[in-house]
């Protein structure tokens, strides 16, 4: 075929030849065979070389030549630097975006690793970086400094030999934890002295300081035992994975389908050619010619789109403070089916407020607290008037009452007993902040500000405890001082009551209660006070007929209940108990069981004092937000480290579980058989929420993972309590594997990091519990209610926009490949390009880039409408905006339009073939611009600018494209009507079809907009 290629055809000759051929075709009819050199002629027409003129050559004086001649270099390369710019740009955009994200993470890590600490050595104190600390180092940590590694607590500057640490970065709890220094090292007179003989002292969990917690009081010295990857906080987090959006995976599948189409089309072309000559060479030529089927610019468009969505999210005034940390997955926010949320600090503010006190016969609420205050004042004023009258402080009137329990106590004395019990039975410590201007030693500071109310804050291991002590202060009985051995209360009259702490029984998740034995310094009375959950206390207190009912009533109001009881002990009873208790604590085997047994001997027939109700305030607008998410088809699971009762309580008060729904509490199971029975019991329930503890969950996952996942996924809501951070991550992975649906995790503490990193989309709340969760998350918000707008508005529009953008970019490549296929078919399946050089580069860039990219501004409904009708979100989870069905529709549109444009241009051209290029290319650009207009649902002013800018660029560039176009021809009316006719035929039917579809089967959003 390529045997008679004239090297430089003169334009006039080509025109004559063209006319002759046109005449020959029309005379011979459509079936006539075309001359063999048709392809060669096409090559020459499409690659029109400049005409050669006679030249004057200056011998020995090349510089005198007026014309510019090419350099005498051999060039066999196919491409130049500019050809690689588009491809390089694609890769550069992706690489730069990833590099920026990674660099930010590196900077955050570097900031933490560079913190300086004081290290004790033989030569004295040395400054050392956090990253250089080693096992065995003695490290000094100042107040408000982060503990750099897991340490054993050796010494503190606090006189009591204990200090508080804040664990908000570790377990998400804002309250302070009390840690005790190892007594033998705390007692040493000065550092560095080793005069004492070796001491064997057993260490407990309260002698440890965990990495990533913060010292809240005093200065501490610890010896490092675990560093880096071996610390508790790091071992509880999983390695972050690279997150890829579902939309990207779907587009990858479609791109693979397009690649197969490219290979198939090339093979068809070679087959129709009849495998003539070196057919494999022709195959590769066709692969290159049709390579526009594969949308290389798709990656760039999507990455730029993702950046635009991130910018829009961060600029949204309705969700201030929102940060996009992972810019690759904004579309994931529009595809979520499961939302896994933490409780403390995420759904709740972690701020407790005392709401209810119930004494059995009488109940006090927030509006009747002044009555309690007056009762307390009366009790103490009577007591002191009688005491001063008798001149005997050791025999106050209440002694008679306690010795004769048969006599019905007055309401006033019962209120007073209840308030005193609440004021004494706790692990709260009042902390006095140093006032401005007070410096020097701590003891002077303490003397200077002793008991001043404004300076006092309470610290405890649970915010419930603080709420109770703050309430007793509000009714007149104030905790003013506390150390390891004593407590001091101030009465409404200002007298100080001192109580010696004989024993403390801290709260554990097994016992569900805590107790304290105190001796009143004034009367030498010994009393055992205890408070705990109703399930634990109901068997311990004396028989009554109201406790169970009232606990149920308070729980239904969403209050956290505590039962308070007491037992008076004689000196002999206490001494007997103490000797047995000390013996149990020293036993090597089964120590825990023996200690528990001794304590239980005291927990019998205790006098029930009162029932308290404390409310954990929910975050702002939690209820409407959860309601909105439920209506959007999102299933909400609450994963918390908190107690089962509390978790159930919050699930009800936040309306995570609706009022009408039953709750199935999964009984604690330890073996396969128990798990089997309990799962069968649960299977018989319908439409009820599930509450399960972490231990039971672990057993079920070990033996019946598939069954549990299947049953739990059918529940409208699931609450998992007592979950460790690793369990939270496991639940997320289980949901991903079993359902294949998209998951989102939201939390605010360091204990939520694993879950956030495991989920397809992690959201961190930046709040009281530090920044660890928000730094590890893909999106960081400031309040839980912001998640509604983030998903309903930004998630939904990001997904719909990216789906439209992705399919349009594919359409853009398919339509030009269809035209190439038609062109090659008409001319004997010749592997000759239809459009050359700049036309191809311009088509994918300046001529169509702006309008196509402006689809990222498109929206089908207004944000307010998307928030009002969350049901619109439900449609997206089915993935109908981008599927093989919608993709096939676009493929058919591309084939139809490509065919019309090419055949139309071939039918309507008359004289020179170069007119075919001009007509078809101009109609192609116009069709693309009109198709963008057809796809847009809501016009934005930038879209209009993009359309006219692209059209303007194309018209302006026609003046410079004389290498490809006949400038004289494109200024004629003939050219204009031919282009217009072809464009109308290619676009009008699609507009008509779209109109009919909207009339006959409108999408859900259009029903709202109309």
């Amino acid at each position: 075929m390529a045997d008679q290629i004239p090297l430089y055809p003169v334009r006039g000759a080509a025109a004559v030849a063209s006319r002759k051929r046109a005449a020959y075709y029309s005379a011979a009819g459509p079936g006539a065979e075309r001359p063999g050199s048709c392809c060669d002629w096409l090559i020459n027409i499409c690659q029109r070389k400049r005409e050669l003129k006679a030249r004057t050559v200056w011998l020995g004086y090349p510089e005198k030549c007026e014309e510019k001649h090419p350099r005498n270099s051999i060039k066999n390369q196919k491409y130049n630097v500019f050809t690689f710019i588009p491809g390089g740009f694609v890769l550069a955009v992706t690489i730069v975006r990833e590099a920026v994200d990674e660099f930010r993470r590196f900077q955050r890590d570097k900031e933490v690793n560079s913190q300086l600490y004081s290290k004790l050595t033989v030569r004295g104190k040395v400054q050392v970086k956090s990253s250089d600390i080693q096992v065995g180092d003695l490290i000094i940590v100042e107040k408000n400094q982060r503990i750099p590694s897991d340490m054993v607590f050796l010494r503190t500057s606090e006189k009591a030999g204990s200090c508080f640490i804040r664990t908000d970065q570790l377990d998400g709890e804002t309250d302070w934890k009390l840690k005790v220094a190892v007594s033998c090292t705390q007692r040493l007179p000065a550092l560095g002295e080793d005069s004492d003989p070796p001491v064997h002292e057993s260490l407990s969990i309260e002698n440890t300081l965990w990495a990533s917690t913060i010292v809240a009081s005093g200065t501490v010295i610890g010896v490092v035992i675990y560093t880096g990857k071996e610390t508790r906080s790091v071992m509880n987090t999983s390695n972050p994975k690279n997150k890829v959006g579902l939309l990207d995976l779907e587009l990858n599948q479609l791109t693979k389908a397009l690649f197969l189409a490219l290979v198939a089309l090339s093979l068809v072309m070679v087959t129709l050619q009849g495998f003539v000559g070196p057919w494999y060479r022709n195959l590769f030529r066709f692969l290159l010619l049709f390579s526009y089927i594969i949308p290389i610019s798709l990656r760039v468009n999507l990455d730029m789109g993702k950046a635009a969505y991130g910018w829009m999210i961060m600029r949204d005034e309705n969700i201030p403070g929102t940060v996009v940390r992972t810019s690759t997955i904004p579309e994931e926010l529009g595809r979520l089916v499961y939302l896994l949320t933490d409780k403390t600090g995420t759904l709740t503010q972690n701020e407790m407020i005392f709401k209810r006190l119930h004494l059995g016969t009488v109940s006090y609420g927030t509006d009747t607290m002044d009555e309690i205050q007056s009762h307390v004042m009366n009790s103490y004023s009577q007591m002191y008037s009688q005491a001063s009258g008798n001149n005997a402080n050791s025999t106050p009137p209440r002694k008679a009452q306690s010795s004769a329990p048969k006599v019905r106590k007055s309401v006033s004395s019962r209120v007073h007993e209840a308030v005193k019990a609440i004021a004494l039975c706790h692990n709260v410590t009042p902390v006095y902040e140093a006032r401005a201007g007070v410096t020097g030693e701590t003891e002077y500071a303490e003397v200077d500000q002793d008991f001043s109310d404004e300076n006092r804050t309470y610290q405890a291991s649970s915010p419930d405890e603080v709420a109770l002590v703050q309430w007793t202060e509000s009714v007149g009985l104030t905790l003013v001082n506390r150390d390891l051995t004593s407590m001091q209360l101030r009465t409404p009259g200002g007298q100080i009551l001192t109580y010696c702490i004989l024993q403390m029984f801290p709260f554990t998740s097994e016992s569900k209660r805590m107790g304290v034995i105190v001796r009143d310094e004034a009367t030498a009375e010994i009393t055992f006070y205890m408070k705990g959950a109703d399930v634990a206390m109901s068997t311990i207190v004396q028989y009554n007929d109201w406790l169970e009912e009232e606990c149920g009533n308070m729980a239904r109001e969403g209050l956290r209940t505590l039962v308070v009881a007491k037992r008076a002990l004689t000196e002999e009873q206490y001494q007997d108990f103490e000797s047995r208790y000390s013996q149990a604590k020293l036993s090597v085997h089964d120590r825990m069981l023996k200690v528990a047994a001794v304590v239980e001997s005291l927990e019998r027939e205790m006098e029930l004092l009162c029932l308290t109700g404390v409310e954990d305030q929910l975050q702002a607008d939690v209820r409407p937000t959860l309601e909105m998410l439920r209506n959007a088809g999102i299933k909400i699971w609450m994963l918390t480290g908190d107690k089962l009762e509390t978790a159930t309580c919050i699930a009800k008060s936040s309306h995570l579980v609706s009022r009408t729904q039953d709750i199935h509490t999964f009984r604690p199971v330890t073996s396969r058989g128990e798990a089997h029975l309990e799962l069968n019991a649960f299977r018989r329930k319908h439409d009820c929420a599930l509450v399960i503890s972490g231990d039971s969950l672990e057993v079920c996952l070990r033996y019946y993972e598939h069954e549990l996942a299947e049953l739990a996924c059918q529940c409208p809501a699931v609450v998992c309590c007592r979950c460790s951070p690793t369990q939270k991550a496991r639940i997320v992975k289980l949901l991903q594997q079993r359902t294949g649906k998209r998951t989102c995790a939201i939390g605010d503490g360091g204990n939520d990091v694993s879950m956030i990193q495991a989920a397809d989309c992690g959201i961190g709340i930046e709040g009281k519990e530090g920044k660890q969760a928000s730094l590890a998350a893909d999106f960081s918000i400031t309040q839980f209610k912001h998640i509604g707008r983030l998903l309903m508005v930004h998630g939904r529009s990001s997904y719909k926009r990216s789906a439209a953008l992705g399919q349009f970019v594919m359409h853009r490549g398919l339509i030009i490949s269809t035209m190439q296929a038609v062109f090659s078919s008409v001319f004997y399946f010749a592997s000759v390009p239809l459009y050359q050089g700049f036309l191809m580069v311009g088509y994918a860039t300046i001529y169509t880039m702006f309008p196509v990219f402006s689809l990222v501004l498109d929206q089908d409904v207004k944000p307010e409408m998307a928030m009002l009708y969350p049901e619109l979100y439900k449609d997206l989870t089915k993935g109908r905006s981008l599927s093989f069905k919608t993709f096939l529709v676009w493929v058919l549109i591309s084939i139809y339009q490509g065919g019309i444009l090419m055949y139309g241009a071939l039918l309507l051209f008359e004289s020179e073939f170069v007119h075919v290029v001009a007509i078809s290319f101009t109609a192609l650009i116009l069709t693309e611009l009109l198709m963008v207009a057809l796809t847009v649902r809501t016009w934005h002013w930038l879209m209009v600018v993009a359309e006219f800018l692209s059209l303007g660029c194309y018209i302006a560039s026609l003046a410079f494209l004389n290498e490809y176009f006949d400038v004289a021809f494109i200024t004629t009316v003939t050219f204009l009507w031919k282009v217009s006719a072809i464009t109308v035929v290619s676009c009008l039917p699609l507009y008509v079809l779209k109109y009919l579809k909207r009339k006959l089967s409108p999408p859900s959003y259009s029903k709202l907009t109309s």
Side-chain angles (χ1 to χ4, degrees), residues 431-448:
V431 177
Y432 294 91
E433 295 293 326
R435 279 194 301 235
V438 177
T439 53
E441 296 296 309
T442 46
E443 49 251 56
Y444 297 127
E446 278 176 21
V447 169
D448 181 55

Side-chain angles (χ1 to χ4, degrees), residues 564-597:
V564 185
K566 78 164 193 176
R567 181 180 171 188
L569 300 175
T570 61
E571 188 69 40
E572 297 77 39
Q573 282 175 320
Y574 175 69
Q575 292 302 335
D576 170 53
F577 164 78
E578 192 188 29
S579 63
R580 287 186 293 126
Y581 188 64
S582 304
Q583 209 171 346
K585 281 209 293 190
L586 288 172
S587 61
V588 180
H589 300 294
D590 298 329
R591 184 192 305 174
M592 299 287 283
L593 288 170
K594 287 177 182 173
V595 167

Side-chain angles (χ1 to χ4, degrees), residues 26-329:
S26 56
E33 195 170 355
R34 294 169 188 183
S37 58
C38 172
C39 282
D40 315 333
W41 166 77
L42 268 172
I43 291 169
N44 299 328
I45 288 295
C46 296
Q47 300 179 334
R48 285 167 54 215
K49 306 292 182 191
R50 63 196 181 95
E51 293 173 22
L52 293 184
K53 293 184 280 192
R55 65 174 61 177
T56 308
V57 178
W58 293 78
L59 300 180
Y61 295 98
E63 65 275 3
K64 289 191 177 183
C65 281
E66 292 171 7
E67 290 180 54
K68 289 277 181 213
H69 298 303
R71 285 176 66 234
N72 188 33
S73 59
I74 295 167
K75 186 179 179 187
N76 288 318
Q77 296 126 287
K78 192 172 169 188
Y79 304 111
N80 57 31
V81 174
F82 297 102
T83 327
F84 280 102
I85 285 176
F89 182 62
V90 174
L91 291 171
V93 167
T94 310
I95 291 167
V96 166
R97 196 203 59 240
E98 286 291 335
V100 167
D101 284 356
E102 190 59 27
F103 181 67
R104 284 180 186 153
R105 283 191 280 269
F106 163 74
Q107 281 184 311
R108 291 199 293 268
D109 291 345
K110 188 180 174 187
E111 189 182 328
V112 174
N113 291 331
S114 306
Q115 287 177 350
L116 292 175
Y117 292 88
S118 298
K119 178 168 108 175
L120 277 180
T121 63
V122 184
R123 296 182 299 281
K125 289 185 188 176
V126 182
Q127 290 289 303
V128 61
K129 275 187 184 176
S130 172
S131 54
D132 296 335
I133 289 172
Q134 295 173 315
V135 173
D137 283 349
L138 285 166
I139 302 294
I140 301 173
V141 187
E142 304 288 340
K143 184 179 176 181
N144 290 330
Q145 214 177 1
R146 185 183 74 92
I147 294 170
S149 56
D150 291 351
M151 306 198 291
V152 169
F153 182 14
L154 300 179
R155 193 181 178 90
T156 173
S157 60
E158 299 283 289
K159 287 185 299 188
S162 61
C163 82
F164 282 106
I165 60 166
R166 295 205 302 270
T167 60
D168 46 12
Q169 294 283 335
L170 191 67
D171 58 13
E173 293 179 7
T174 50
D175 37 78
W176 295 6
K177 307 287 188 290
L178 188 73
K179 293 289 180 178
V180 182
V182 177
S183 56
C184 60
T185 48
Q186 180 67 24
R187 284 197 306 267
L188 286 175
L191 292 171
E193 291 186 21
D194 51 357
S195 52
D196 290 354
V199 178
H200 295 286
E201 187 173 331
S202 64
L203 300 178
S204 70
I205 205 84
E206 60 186 14
N207 303 126
T208 53
L209 301 169
W210 303 119
S212 296
T213 57
I214 289 167
V215 176
S217 63
T219 301
V220 304
I221 300 171
V223 60
V224 176
I225 49 172
Y226 295 111
T227 53
K229 286 187 286 191
E230 292 180 339
T231 58
R232 183 187 183 186
S233 56
V234 175
M235 287 176 83
N236 250 328
T237 55
S238 45
N239 288 329
K241 60 174 185 179
N242 273 336
K243 295 188 182 180
V244 181
L246 183 59
L247 182 101
D248 292 330
L249 297 173
E250 288 168 344
L251 285 169
N252 283 352
Q253 296 290 2
L254 296 182
T255 309
K256 287 172 190 169
L258 288 174
F259 174 73
L260 292 175
L262 163 69
V263 174
L265 183 59
S266 303
L267 282 169
V268 167
M269 283 294 181
V270 173
T271 309
L272 291 171
Q273 246 182 9
F275 292 101
V276 180
W279 62 270
Y280 50 86
R281 195 183 298 164
N282 286 340
L283 176 66
F284 280 105
R285 275 174 137 178
F286 279 122
L287 284 171
L288 287 172
L289 278 182
F290 299 139
S291 61
Y292 265 79
I293 288 180
I294 307 236
I296 298 173
S297 59
L298 179 63
R299 189 76 264 146
V300 172
N301 276 293
L302 283 178
D303 283 349
M304 284 163 57
K306 289 172 197 286
Y309 308 143
W311 184 79
M312 287 174 200
I313 290 170
M314 291 198 277
R315 285 286 303 266
D316 190 341
E317 291 170 0
N318 293 295
I319 46 172
T322 303
V323 181
V324 178
R325 299 197 192 279
T326 306
S327 53
T328 51
I329 54 167

Side-chain angles (χ1 to χ4, degrees), residues 942-977:
L942 278 171
M943 293 175 168
V944 181
V945 169
E947 290 269 327
F948 283 108
L949 178 67
S950 294
L951 190 60
C953 284
Y954 180 63
I955 292 167
S957 66
L958 289 176
F960 309 105
L961 295 177
N962 51 358
E963 191 180 340
Y964 308 105
F965 297 156
D966 182 350
V967 181
F969 172 67
I970 59 177
T971 52
T972 62
V973 177
T974 313
F975 170 75
L976 291 175
W977 80 256

Side-chain angles (χ1 to χ4, degrees), residues 799-814:
Y799 168 59
K800 295 205 84 160
R801 286 163 175 172
S802 280
L805 179 66
Q807 292 178 119
F808 207 95
V809 171
M810 288 178 175
H811 158 76
R812 188 170 67 183
L814 277 166

Side-chain angles (χ1 to χ4, degrees), residues 624-734:
T625 304
L626 289 176
E627 188 73 25
M628 180 196 293
L629 296 173
R630 244 202 320 274
N631 291 340
I634 295 172
K635 290 185 176 176
I636 304 159
W637 290 34
M638 185 167 87
L639 313 181
T640 174
D642 219 327
K643 302 191 289 290
L644 187 135
E645 296 79 20
T646 314
T648 312
C649 211
I650 294 299
K652 287 176 182 170
S653 65
S654 65
H655 294 183
L656 175 75
V657 176
S658 64
R659 300 257 171 194
T660 53
Q661 271 168 0
D662 287 337
I663 292 182
H664 176 81
T665 304
F666 206 88
R667 284 213 311 273
V669 295
T670 50
S671 65
R672 183 175 189 148
E674 289 176 357
H676 182 77
L677 291 170
E678 195 56 32
L679 280 168
N680 280 345
F682 178 46
R683 187 176 271 114
R684 290 192 285 273
K685 299 276 182 82
H686 292 289
D687 190 47
C688 76
L690 171 67
V691 179
I692 186 169
S693 70
D695 298 339
S696 304
L697 184 76
E698 197 68 38
V699 174
C700 291
L701 289 179
R702 193 179 311 138
Y703 300 115
Y704 297 107
E705 186 180 286
H706 179 73
E707 289 83 352
L708 179 74
E710 184 188 346
L711 288 170
C713 289
Q714 291 167 3
C715 291
V718 176
V719 177
C720 300
C721 52
R722 290 279 172 220
C723 271
S724 68
T726 12
Q727 272 180 328
K728 289 183 179 184
R730 249 190 96 182
I731 294 167
V732 172
K733 287 172 186 160
L734 178 75

